[in-house]
Every structure is written in C-alpha cells, then in structure tokens.
Amino acid sequence: MTEIARLDYAVNALGYSAALGRLVGLTSKGHAWWKNPSHVVLIDQKGVVSDLGPVDAQWFRTDDVTAGAVVGTTFYVRDNASLRAIDIDPASPTYLKIVRSVVLDWPALALDDFTAGAAGKLTGVSAAGWGPGEVVSFDPVSGRVLGRKEIKDLPGRSTYGAVVIDSAGTIFATNNGYRGRSRVYRITDVAVELSAGPEMGMIDGAGCLPNPMPPRVEPPAPRPEVPAPPPAPKPPAPPAPAPVPVVPPPPAPVVTTAPPTVAPQPIPARAARQKPEPRRDLSLKVESTPLTKSRKWVMVTIILVMLGAGAAAARARG
C-alpha cells in the first residue's frame, strides 16, 4: 500500500468516474453534517481534491452513507436502506441533485461497498448471517437483487468495506477485520486470500485510476510578423521555338503477294474392266447391199488412176 495524500477530513462512498477520470466521493469537509448537506468531491491520482459543491437536497446527510459507485454520469450511494442517485453531469439541468431514490432488497441493503459491474448492475460482497460471504448483484434503478451466490472460503460475519471488479469479471474485496486482520480476497467461484494487514475500522474502494496524463504543453508564443520581401521580377518569357516542317511519312511499300501454289490434282486412274471381252472377227460374209457395189467401183477407179500416173512418170524419165 502506498500513501498518495493525507486529507484532514473523511471521504466516503468512493466511486470511479471514467467520464471525469477521477474518484468521486462524499464528505462534510469540515462542515457540521447536522447543519450542512454533503459535498461531492473529485480526487485525482495525486490526491488533489476538487469540491464540486453541496448536494442539492437540504435533508441529505452523510452520517448513514456507507457505499458508492458511478455508472455513466450517475453517482449511486447507499444511505442506510435506500439507494440515492446523484447527477454529476456538469451539463445537466439536474447537476448535483438527487434524481432518484429506491429502497434496497435484502441483502443489498447490508452492503458496505459495491462496484459497477456488467450491464450497469452494481455488485458487492455481503457477510451478513452465519454462513460464508456471498456475492450480491442488484439493479440500481429498482433496487431489486438480481443474484446472490455463496463463495467457498470467503469469511462471513464481517464487513467488506472495499470492493472492485476488473475487466474479466474477477472481484477483489477487502475485509475490514477477520481474526484481527484486514484481508484481501480474489473472488471467482472460490475465494483466495491474497494478503493481510493491520485491522482497519474504516475502508473504502473504487475502480483503478488511469495512468497519469502527460503534462500539458503550452503552445509557443507567436512570433512578430515580418513583412515578406517583394516578389522578384519574373524573367522574360523565352522566344517561341521555330515551327518544325512536317515531313510526310514515306508511302508504305506495296507488298505483292504471290498466288498460292496449287498442288496438281492427281489424274484418276481409269478403272480396269472387270471382265475382258472376247475378240470379234470380221465377218467374211459378202455384203450384197447396193452401197457395197458402189464402194467397189470407187476402188477400181482409184487403182486405174494410180496406174496411169505411174506410166506417165515412166515415160517422162525415158
């Protein structure tokens, strides 16, 4: 345990506000609680306290307040058997007013601390009765208990004044005093004691504060304005280049395409006769037609002429 700061007044019902990045609590801060209402304060990671002002309800006091938690911009505190909802949104018209009060079911009304769990419900550890301690969850809007479960090895008949829960749903609870020691337990389905220390009469817990914010960097002081130098004269534009004659491209060569060579077609072979025919002899029969007689006279005449021509040629040679 590390001491961050020492205050000269008590702060109770601590809760953590992710929206404000601070712990939220109630204190009388030196004011007599029977004369003045409770003040809402913020505490940063260095222990610096900011007083937001009194709760806007003259009848509200801190003498019976024992537990607190923040859901969104609503600060829930247990006031005896009632749950008070205080608006801590600075932009809200009901800022620092009690916007709702409900009566808690048993055993939520016996919780000395609770923390914001999943789905906006509040969760604490009850040690009322003779059995082991139990985890109790309830609805902060209606005050109804949503679930309760006895935990093995979690001591009963003692109060748990500090309860927090991590992102995995594991609960860490500190017993105010069991067998003369204040003990820290990790609670899942069973309870495991993590450490023990001197017995404390008053204890409270809240969610973990974020890492310290980086220091604010002031912007550099503005430099005096220096008149800008006059613009340099523009150089004269270069002369336009002489036009380049356009030479027409040479005509495209004419490509003569030779006609395609036609392969000679084969001459089909003459089909052979399937069966040789027998030779036909001329008929020896003498024709007796009139045409046959005329042919004979023509042959005789041709022979005579040839004989005459041969005789004449012999005489000429003699």
Side-chain angles (χ1 to χ4, degrees), residues 157-177:
R157 294 188 295 171
S158 181
T159 57
Y160 289 83
V163 179
V164 296
I165 188 170
D166 65 10
S167 58
T170 303
I171 298 172
F172 298 86
T174 303
N175 192 303
N176 287 34

Side-chain angles (χ1 to χ4, degrees), residues 73-89:
T73 56
T74 303
F75 180 28
Y76 291 100
V77 296
R78 183 175 81 85
D79 179 14
N80 201 354
S82 298
L83 185 71
R84 314 292 186 187
I86 304 172
D87 187 0
I88 57 173
D89 182 5

Side-chain angles (χ1 to χ4, degrees), residues 13 21-22 39-40 71 106 108 111 161 169 177 179 184 186 209 224 233 237 245 280 282 317:
R22 300 290 188 272
H39 284 232
V40 179
V71 178
W106 175 264
L111 298 176
R179 294 181 179 178
V184 180
R186 181 179 64 236
L209 288 171
R280 296 180 180 180
L282 297 177
R317 287 193 302 269

Side-chain angles (χ1 to χ4, degrees), residues 149-226:
K149 180 181 180 182
E150 290 187 353
I151 303 299
K152 183 181 178 182
D153 298 327
L154 187 64
R157 294 188 295 171
S158 181
T159 57
Y160 289 83
V163 179
V164 296
I165 188 170
D166 65 10
S167 58
T170 303
I171 298 172
F172 298 86
T174 303
N175 192 303
N176 287 34
Y178 176 67
R179 294 181 179 178
R181 304 279 284 177
S182 289
R183 304 173 189 272
V184 180
Y185 293 90
R186 181 179 64 236
I187 304 171
T188 52
D189 292 333
V190 296
V192 178
E193 183 177 325
L194 300 180
S195 63
E199 185 174 356
M200 292 178 284
M202 181 178 178
I203 188 173
D204 205 350
C208 297
L209 288 171
N211 292 330
M213 299 296 293
R216 181 179 178 182
V217 178
E218 297 293 339
R223 297 180 179 179
E225 295 185 1
V226 179

